[in-house]
Amino acid sequence: MTVEDRKSWATKDEAVVRELLDMLQITPEECALLASLQDEARANVRAMVDEFYQRLLAHEFTREFITDPDALRVTLTKWFMELFSGKYDDAYAASRLAIGLKHVLIGLPVRYPLMMLDVISRHGEKIAAARGPAAVDAFRKVLALDTATFNQAYENCQLLHLSELTGSERLARRLLTGEV
Ligand code: HEM
């Protein structure tokens, strides 16, 4: 069976985040709710970061990547606080894609960041619960947006390299579907 070209294949870079925001239907009220949680997030981010690195440092395979835990604690804190920024524009999209790319470039298997959503979502939802179930729903949307964007950085890299090798993104996509 021939896989046809898909409309989604033409969506790139920051436009991916715009598309997902549209699909998630994040409302200005939800953005404002999340932004109103800055103080609660700041008061609780340390507990999230502690658990995050405890888990990664406890496992031999993930520990191997953590060369500067103090610096990573700072960048993860900033990343987590930005989930509660209430502003998810093109600059946010570009920065989230760049963060995903950093992980691709250190050779980190994507299963580890995805697994760490367990820690991030638990702490984030607990913080959001201070403003009730609507804020928890809003937090879940933004975390889904971030997860998809992080993963997109991995796919972008695969596609880029395969496109360079084959000279055609279309051919690269067909290779990835197993068609060629
Ligand atoms: C969803 C989960 C994760 C988030 C949100 C996250 C977030 C971040 C952020 C914001 C940075 C800074 C990027 C920059 O300098 O611009 C970073 C860098 C880094 N992260 Fe993560 N991270 C995650 C998972 C992991 C995991 C599981 C590991 C290792 C097992 C890891 C290892 C690293 C390393 C080594 C760097 C430094 C990369 C470099 O500077 O070249 N991260 N991460």
Side-chain angles (χ1 to χ4, degrees), residues 46-137:
R46 192 179 175 150
M48 189 284 289
V49 172
D50 284 348
E51 191 183 340
F52 191 97
Y53 286 110
Q54 261 163 27
R55 183 177 293 180
L56 293 181
L57 290 169
H59 182 57
E60 185 192 346
F61 294 176
T62 45
R63 191 166 55 234
E64 205 173 48
F65 290 94
I66 315 285
T67 47
D68 189 349
D70 290 342
L72 288 180
R73 289 178 67 92
V74 174
T75 50
L76 185 68
T77 299
K78 182 169 180 284
W79 175 88
F80 187 75
M81 289 304 299
E82 284 169 2
L83 292 176
F84 295 92
S85 64
K87 201 170 162 196
Y88 314 105
D89 55 10
D90 278 5
Y92 183 87
S95 111
R96 294 327 226 196
L97 283 167
I99 289 167
L101 180 62
K102 283 258 173 168
H103 295 83
V104 178
L105 297 181
I106 60 169
L108 181 71
V110 74
R111 66 178 178 278
Y112 298 129
L114 293 182
M115 176 270 298
M116 292 311 289
L117 290 167
D118 162 50
V119 173
I120 297 162
S121 61
R122 189 160 17 84
H123 286 266
E125 287 180 24
K126 208 164 128 197
I127 291 165
R131 294 281 181 287
V136 176
D137 285 351

